[in-house]
Structure formats: C-alpha cells, structure tokens
Amino acid sequence: MAIKGNLHDFTLTQLLNLITLANKSGTLVVERSNEAVEVFFTDGKLAYADSVNGDNSLAGILHKTQLISSAQYKGIKSNVNGMSDKELGLLLINANYFSQQEIIQSLQTHFVDVVNRLFTWMEGFFRFETDIAPPDDKITVKINLENLILEGSRQIRELEHLEDEIPSLDIGVKFVERPGANVTNLKLTSQEWSVIPYIDPKNSLKKIAAVTKLTDYEIRQVIYSLVQAGIVEMVRPEKSTGSKPPVKLAEELVKGDKEEGKSLIFRIIDRIRSL
C-alpha cells in the first residue's frame, strides 16, 4: 500500500529518514501545481531521480551538468535514433568520449540536485510506492542519503531565515541609486543574472520567480544576496494604473528600467572583460 501525504504534515527530511532507516526500495513521487518529481530508491539508497517536466535523458543530464556543450547535446539528440540511456552510455565510453566514472559522476550530481531542489518545496503532495524500480533503460546509481538529509536540513534552516528577512513575495525590488558595494568586484550567479533584467518596482518577487522558474527559496536567496550586496532594495510593488485589463504574466513582466539597470550591468560586464 502506498504512503501518501502532504509536505506540510510530513517533511521530505522525515521521508528520507524513514526510507534510509528501513532500507526501503520504491518510488517517491512529489507533486505541486504544474511540477512533479520522481525519486527512486534501492535498499534505502538514492538510485535515480527525474523531473517530469525536464529532459531526463542521458544526453540531457550530461548537458545540464556541463559535461557536453549545447552543440554536442543537439548532435547526440539528432543521432541517437531511439537509443536507450544504457546503450548511449556504452557508446560514449567505448568511443572514449567519457569514462564510466565521468558519466556516473554526472548522473549522481544531477540526481542530488533534483532531490536538493525538493527541500525548497514547502507545499506539495507525495506518495511512496514500494518495490517500484526505475525504468529498465535508465542508468542507476547508489547514493547514501545521510549527506542529502544533512544538506536538506541546512537548506530548511536557511529558508526559515530567509522567510524572516523576506516574509512576503508580494513585495517589489528596485536598483539602489548609489550601490553600497564595489560593483566592479561582483560575481553574479546564473540565477542572479536571470533575475537582474526584471528588477523593477512593478514586478513582485512572486512574478519574477514565476517567469525565471525559481522556487520560493531560490528567489528569496537571490534577492537577499543582492540586497546584502547593496545593489537592490525592497519596496512596495507599484500598482497598475489605467482601465486596461490585466495581461498575461509573460507580457505583464516588463524588464526593469533600462537606464537604471544598464549602468550597473555594464560596470559588471566591463569588469569581467578586463579580467
């Protein structure tokens, strides 16, 4: 019989502790709104994980973990001709493109990332069904859950701190007039770069998170870092004016004030070019 519940009542940390202590084998499915993740376990260890909405093929995972370029990814996808992940893995190893260890390491990194992202979900429904193995054509691994649980606990503590600092995602943000940090020495992450174009009081954090596909935890983390760096400040979101009806989210999210954001971004880019 499947175990079912809500993440409000039974956290992912508790679920993983149960699975590892009981040496469970089976599949954990976690769903919320339009997202779903499947995590497979064998004898209490992580064996495989995928996001239902993503490309979970071996080629897709090698691309996500930056083991292959976008051009190589497209080339593989157009030439595999229905080849399974196991067959593709053997082909890449026998052709000396990668070692077995490199492919396994790439898979482990991806699976751990999928599970770590689940720790940022504060809501969602789960079900755990025993004795359901990963698809036969997939390459599986064996990862102990202890370190994953410790990392998840750390993320939960950090999320609680971020929620204290940024209680609501309905607020807006804007560039500060005079950055408090020496922006020429800043190094932005890919997530921070994805948020920068949408810095504008018209855009709530909730809307920015939706258009950049960041979780509540990730958008709080990004904004908190930018605030601490003295680049942006939080403000009440500007209300829409006029009699026009609301437009779709993608159209409503205007990219931040060009002149205001441009000088900051150009200074960062100029610094990168000078390195």
Side-chain angles (χ1 to χ4, degrees):
M1 181 180 294
I3 302 173
K4 299 179 181 180
N6 191 307
L7 291 178
H8 277 304
D9 305 318
F10 207 77
T11 67
L12 182 64
T13 302
Q14 292 172 315
L15 283 169
L16 294 184
N17 270 313
L18 173 63
I19 290 168
T20 189
L21 290 174
N23 290 323
K24 289 284 188 179
S25 296
T27 304
L28 175 66
V29 180
V30 187
E31 299 173 298
R32 67 168 187 180
S33 58
N34 296 322
E35 295 182 89
V37 170
E38 294 181 323
V39 187
F40 298 85
F41 301 91
T42 301
D43 297 327
K45 293 181 172 56
L46 174 61
Y48 187 83
D50 63 39
S51 173
V52 173
N53 297 333
D55 180 1
N56 300 295
S57 66
L58 177 59
I61 293 172
L62 295 178
H63 183 231
K64 288 174 188 173
T65 55
Q66 300 181 346
L67 204 59
I68 61 175
S69 66
S70 295
Q72 290 172 321
Y73 166 71
K74 291 177 182 177
I76 291 174
K77 293 295 285 186
S78 62
N79 289 287
V80 292
N81 295 323
M83 192 177 293
S84 71
D85 282 1
K86 289 181 178 178
E87 291 169 333
L88 176 59
L90 284 173
L91 178 65
L92 294 173
I93 292 169
N94 291 334
N96 293 320
Y97 283 108
F98 304 109
S99 67
Q100 180 180 0
Q101 183 57 37
E102 286 175 318
I103 290 178
I104 294 298
Q105 183 62 51
S106 179
L107 291 169
Q108 289 176 330
T109 298
H110 174 69
F111 298 157
V112 168
D113 285 346
V114 170
V115 175
N116 279 338
R117 190 174 172 85
L118 275 180
F119 282 109
T120 69
W121 290 23
M122 294 295 101
E123 58 182 29
F125 296 93
F126 71 83
R127 68 178 184 276
F128 182 80
E129 301 184 22
T130 58
D131 300 322
I132 296 181
D136 291 336
D137 63 334
K138 298 297 184 181
I139 302 171
T140 59
V141 298
K142 285 189 176 182
I143 302 174
N144 291 326
L145 297 183
E146 286 82 1
N147 288 335
L148 269 174
I149 293 170
L150 288 174
E151 173 61 19
S153 299
R154 184 197 65 78
Q155 286 193 52
I156 290 171
R157 289 194 299 271
E158 184 178 356
L159 178 58
E160 290 171 349
H161 170 69
L162 291 172
E163 286 180 333
D164 289 338
E165 296 291 334
I166 309 175
S168 172
L169 296 183
D170 291 322
I171 62 171
V173 284
K174 70 173 185 177
F175 288 111
V176 298
E177 293 183 7
R178 295 183 178 180
N182 183 357
V183 295
T184 59
N185 293 324
L186 282 177
K187 292 182 179 179
L188 300 185
T189 66
S190 60
Q191 288 183 342
E192 290 165 347
W193 274 116
S194 72
V195 167
I196 285 289
Y198 299 99
I199 299 298
D200 190 297
K202 300 182 184 71
N203 302 330
S204 69
L205 299 190
K206 186 180 295 182
K207 292 179 179 179
I208 295 174
V211 80
T212 54
K213 294 181 170 53
L214 297 179
T215 65
D216 292 356
Y217 167 79
E218 289 166 338
I219 190 62
R220 282 187 167 96
Q221 191 178 47
V222 167
I223 296 302
Y224 182 73
S225 295
L226 295 178
V227 169
Q228 291 297 302
I231 298 172
V232 303
E233 59 184 350
M234 292 179 281
V235 296
R236 287 182 178 275
E238 295 180 2
K239 293 184 179 180
S240 300
T241 59
S243 57
K244 292 183 179 179
V247 295
K248 291 182 180 178
L249 181 61
E251 299 169 350
E252 181 185 353
L253 271 175
V254 293
K255 294 198 174 183
D257 182 84
K258 293 181 180 178
E259 294 304 319
E260 191 177 15
K262 189 190 301 181
S263 62
L264 174 63
I265 295 174
F266 276 178
R267 277 182 283 173
I268 296 172
I269 293 174
D270 288 342
R271 174 59 179 164
I272 292 173
R273 285 175 175 169
S274 68
L275 295 178

